[in-house]
Amino acid sequence: MKTSARNQIKATVTEIIGGTVNSEVVMDVAGTPLKAIITKEAVSEMGLTAGSEVYAIIKASFVMIAKEKPGKISTRNVIETTVSDMIEGPVSCELKLAMGSAVLTAIITEEAAKELGVAKGDTVYALIKASAIILAQ
């Protein structure tokens, strides 16, 4: 499978919380929990159960960054990471974020990177809406 999404992260489903239309799929990524919201129909069509292996596909531009852990927030995924690499450009900045043995890529504006004072080695929080994650097998 080839996609333009920078993040195609292998995960193991640990729990599925079924709803009327959508289900929350809780996964483990190298010891880090990750939650996705997909349709109940997609869960059935993919045959997802606890223990299923999936790929969480996330566009790098869907990953928001915070220097401090947010308080009350509706975003289901707030993941503590470490900036392992950083490529700065005139418009955008690419951050490689270590979360255990997995790497998450984020693209933020160069202006935002400077305002946040993000540097290689920093601890940052990756914020990802559960509805922004696509699952694949």
Side-chain angles (χ1 to χ4, degrees):
M1 169 183 61
K2 292 183 181 182
T3 73
S4 63
R6 302 297 303 142
N7 298 295
Q8 299 173 38
I9 301 169
K10 192 171 186 176
T12 302
V13 175
T14 58
E15 182 181 10
I16 298 171
I17 302 164
T20 305
V21 176
N22 290 325
S23 294
E24 181 178 67
V25 179
V26 183
M27 298 160 281
D28 176 76
V29 176
T32 300
L34 184 67
K35 297 177 181 180
I37 298 291
I38 64 173
T39 64
K40 183 178 174 182
E41 184 178 5
V43 169
S44 176
E45 288 174 354
M46 295 175 75
L48 296 181
T49 60
S52 295
E53 291 199 355
V54 295
Y55 287 90
I57 300 173
I58 310 161
K59 284 182 57 84
S61 59
F62 291 171
V63 179
M64 296 169 277
I65 302 299
K67 286 284 288 226
E68 297 175 3
K69 187 172 184 175
K72 294 180 180 180
I73 189 168
S74 65
T75 301
R76 303 311 315 141
N77 297 292
V78 178
I79 305 164
E80 184 175 322
T81 68
T82 302
V83 179
S84 59
D85 196 14
M86 186 171 171
I87 301 171
E88 298 179 64
V91 176
S92 297
C93 180
E94 180 180 85
L95 303 173
K96 297 290 186 184
L97 307 172
M99 43 187 262
S101 60
V103 175
L104 179 67
T105 301
I107 301 287
I108 62 174
T109 65
E110 187 67 24
E111 182 180 5
K114 286 180 181 171
E115 285 177 3
L116 290 170
V118 177
K120 188 174 177 179
D122 283 356
T123 296
V124 298
Y125 294 87
L127 289 76
I128 310 164
K129 291 181 62 79
S131 58
I133 299 174
I134 296 171
L135 299 184
Q137 292 176 309

